[in-house]
Amino acid sequence: MTASPTLGAAEPILDLLPDAPARRAGQALNDLNASLHLWRLCWKLGWLDLKLRYRGSILGPFWLTASTGVMVGSMGVIYATLFKMNVRDYLPFLTLSLVIWGFIGGLVGDATTCFTQAAGMIRSMRMPFIVHAIRVVLRNLLVLAHNVVVILAVFAFFRVWPGINAVESLPALLLWLVDGIAACLLLGALGARYRDIGPVVASVMQIIFFITPIIWKPDLITHGRQYLMFNPFYDLIEIVRRPLLGGTPTVMLWSAALGFSLLFCTAASLLFMRVRARLAYWV
């Protein structure tokens, strides 16, 4: 009598059976299902990560809030002068953009070490791998929640409120969570196999920061603005940012965001199914 397979257990690296791809897909789906049932554990682990990061600190995660507020205040006046824009119109845009980018940049950076940072847990216990991906997403979501204070303060100071349009950003936030898990599976697996992935991704994200409308408004581009649609970060940011600034994302904007997300999640799923059995050896 053989023991039933356990989630997270290491499978053979070389699988020559005809149904190997189908079985890998089934094992990955079981991993996802088990991880979703362990959402409380994911939340506790994410909260524990944040507590350990700021252990002994007086303000804790609110140091991030304070630094974001100082950055918004200093950059807002300078760039509003450089771009010759009204501070009342520009500062809420800049605040929202920097907080959003802080979440995206932090999540992508943590995604590259998603599995290597959890190497001790992966080696010592059998646990669904996607738990570690959800853990990273929830950890960065907690940081985002702290920085929302800066957005509310700026909006209250300038008396700028999005109104009922803000509700339209909720589906976009759910899409972000799905993309965040996919980023952890894709970059986490690559980062476990190739340790150079982290510095490479950090360098690429710096470039993306400047070519994406974050510190500058899309309206500043008078010709060729349609090419912004080919920047997936612009699409994903805009479907959240525009409703919070009182606007409504267009159908084309949502279509581009969903299209890029579908391609990204597909690539992450295929890679994870392929290398899932090897992650325990790579970390």
Side-chain angles (χ1 to χ4, degrees):
M1 182 176 181
T2 59
S4 58
T6 307
L7 290 173
E11 291 85 4
I13 295 180
L14 183 60
D15 200 337
L16 301 178
L17 295 179
D19 60 337
R23 289 193 299 110
R24 283 198 297 264
Q27 290 162 358
L29 289 175
N30 289 337
D31 197 310
L32 175 61
N33 183 55
S35 299
L36 293 178
H37 280 85
L38 294 174
W39 66 270
R40 292 182 181 86
L41 175 62
C42 300
W43 179 262
K44 290 292 184 181
L45 290 174
W47 179 254
L48 179 62
D49 288 341
L50 207 58
K51 290 181 64 177
L52 293 177
R53 180 182 297 181
Y54 296 99
R55 174 185 290 179
S57 173
I58 297 177
L59 293 181
F62 284 102
W63 275 115
L64 295 173
T65 306
S67 63
T68 303
V70 172
M71 184 183 302
V72 166
S74 57
M75 291 180 62
V77 177
I78 295 175
Y79 281 98
T81 304
L82 290 176
F83 297 142
K84 298 180 180 180
M85 290 186 294
N86 188 343
V87 176
R88 188 178 185 276
D89 295 331
Y90 178 66
L91 203 57
F93 169 85
L94 179 65
T95 304
L96 194 56
S97 300
L98 288 178
V99 171
I100 288 175
W101 181 258
F103 171 76
I104 294 177
L107 178 58
V108 172
D110 289 349
T112 59
T113 58
C114 172
F115 298 119
T116 53
Q117 284 190 342
M121 295 182 64
I122 292 175
R123 292 170 180 167
S124 61
M125 64 185 68
R126 294 179 177 178
M127 182 181 296
F129 287 106
I130 300 181
V131 164
H132 306 295
I134 300 176
R135 168 188 185 178
V136 170
V137 174
L138 292 179
R139 182 173 69 217
N140 283 275
L141 195 62
L142 288 171
V143 174
L144 176 63
H146 284 85
N147 288 333
V148 167
V149 175
V150 181
I151 299 176
L152 295 177
V154 172
F155 278 27
F157 181 80
F158 290 103
R159 297 181 180 180
V160 177
W161 300 105
I164 194 63
N165 288 0
V167 179
E168 298 180 13
S169 65
L170 295 180
L173 288 174
L174 293 177
L175 183 63
W176 276 18
L177 297 181
V178 175
D179 288 343
I181 295 174
C184 290
L185 297 181
L186 179 65
L187 298 177
L190 292 176
R193 182 64 181 88
Y194 305 103
R195 302 305 166 94
D196 296 329
I197 293 296
V200 170
V201 170
S203 300
V204 172
M205 292 298 289
Q206 287 182 349
I207 298 173
I208 293 175
F209 174 79
F210 290 105
I211 66 175
T212 304
I214 296 174
I215 59 176
W216 50 275
K217 284 190 172 185
D219 300 338
L220 294 176
I221 299 181
T222 56
H223 301 287
R225 191 184 304 174
Q226 66 273 14
Y227 294 111
L228 284 175
M229 302 293 292
F230 294 99
N231 183 347
F233 287 91
Y234 167 73
D235 300 323
L236 290 172
I237 288 175
E238 196 68 7
I239 59 176
V240 172
R241 182 172 60 190
R242 189 172 295 184
L244 293 178
L245 291 175
T248 301
T250 62
V251 176
M252 183 178 296
L253 192 65
W254 261 107
S255 300
L258 290 173
F260 283 123
S261 297
L262 180 61
L263 292 175
F264 185 68
C265 291
T266 301
S269 301
L270 293 175
L271 179 66
F272 179 69
M273 288 188 294
R274 182 70 179 175
V275 305
R276 176 181 170 274
R278 311 178 191 184
L279 288 176
Y281 301 97
W282 289 348
V283 296

